[in-house]
Amino acid sequence: MPKLACVAGEPSGDLLAAPVLSALNQIPDMVCLEIYGIGGPRMQAQGMRSDWPMETLSVRGYVEAIKQLPAILKLRKDLIQNLTGEGRPDVYLGVDAPDFNIGVEFHLRKAGIPTLHFVSPSIWAWRAGRIKKISQAVERMLCIFPFETEIYDRAGVASTYVGHPLASEIPLEPNTNEAREKITNTLNLSSGALDGVVIAVLPGSRSSEIELIAPVFFETMQLLTEKLKGQKLQFLIPIATPRLRAPLEELLLQAKNLNPDIQIQLLDGMADEVLEASDVVLIASGTATLQAALWKKPMVISYKVPWLTAQIMKRQGYLPYVGLPNILCGEFVVPELLQNEATAEKLSQALIDWLNHPNKVAELKTRFSQMHETLRRPTGLLVAQAVAQTITNSRQKRVQS
């Protein structure tokens, strides 16, 4: 039976990998494929066995990672021992999480196990020196952005552009009314509850993000409610993972105590529906910003990390922007308010600016439509084919030897 070891370290990786595993299930030679490693609920729904908890790896930033370091190192040691021993796979597929996966891939490749990495680290934005280690660890890089393959060609690393899976999953034209109706029914809201201005608020998928940026986002919602008093406002917050519900409910309770009339709804998951239903988006930097762009939504990107993390990142930065929509467009098409700039006053004003300038919104939607077409490829199938071909080659070499 062919074996694939696969590791995704966070919810966004789970989202990226699930279509790959689904496509693998459709390839005749891979029907009996055994898939195991570390993954979330979407990957497990496609038949993967997750042998270690994904939550151990779901940290962001240097300071946060240091706190979790002992658990991460133990997991990595256990994983490498297993995969170079009795759990040896035909191929290893690392999904994003480069700080963890590239280290694992380095050891596995030295042990003769073929390694693929899906989603290039942001070497084009910062930490460009990492490409030397990538060349030693990764047999083939599977790139989700078209400009990345040229970088790997220059470094002598095999790479394939596979497009971004979200671009295939998200329709080219959003249906805002249909999404609002679905949310209205899910929340048992009264008919017409979402007829006014709908603002999507996405404070991130990690506990550290909720701790640092969510309070500012709730202050922003309070301020917007005051500034746009004559308008009907509805704020929708999709909860990325169940463990984030409690802290968000606490912030919601505080908001209601300050203003009982503020309209904030929490939804379990449903990020796509929330984005599709929205007029404008307040969002933490990360994969979700690309999601918002593919739904053609004007947004304000924000982020806060501990001071030390911010200083380290600043010294290693190569691009003036952090949001994926700006990186892909090569300019500031949407505002970014980070660290000390992330205040309720500035965030609320930037959101109001989108609401007051429909012509600007229309221009942005055109840019995002062009981006969508470029990123739209059968990503899951292309990655699955790369995995299947590598497994076939690996097994043939084993038979010949």
Side-chain angles (χ1 to χ4, degrees), residues 30 34 68 109 113 135 256 287 291 310 323 352 357 363 395:
M30 298 294 116
E34 182 183 354
Q68 190 72 353
R109 197 176 185 198
I113 297 168
S135 69
K256 287 282 189 182
T287 303
Q291 226 172 325
I352 290 170
H357 294 90
E363 289 172 11
R395 293 176 75 81

Side-chain angles (χ1 to χ4, degrees), residues 197-246:
V197 176
V198 175
I199 300 176
V201 179
L202 285 80
S205 60
R206 299 173 178 84
S207 298
S208 59
E209 292 170 331
I210 300 304
E211 184 182 330
L212 289 166
I213 198 69
V216 181
F217 280 13
F218 273 84
E219 288 175 36
T220 303
M221 288 185 272
Q222 292 281 9
L223 199 51
L224 281 167
T225 304
E226 293 171 21
K227 287 186 173 187
L228 302 175
K229 212 162 193 175
Q231 299 189 45
K232 184 179 178 183
L233 290 186
Q234 186 73 252
F235 300 98
L236 301 177
I237 305 178
I239 304 172
T241 59
R243 72 181 185 281
L244 300 181
R245 175 168 272 281

Side-chain angles (χ1 to χ4, degrees), residues 77-116:
K77 182 182 176 184
D78 292 347
L79 179 70
I80 292 169
Q81 282 182 342
N82 180 274
L83 298 185
T84 53
E86 61 183 26
R88 186 182 180 94
D90 293 291
V91 65
Y92 179 89
L93 176 65
V95 183
D96 209 359
D99 287 320
F100 182 84
N101 268 321
I102 289 173
V104 172
E105 289 156 4
F106 178 80
H107 287 281
L108 298 188
R109 197 176 185 198
K110 278 179 69 176
I113 297 168
T115 56
L116 303 178

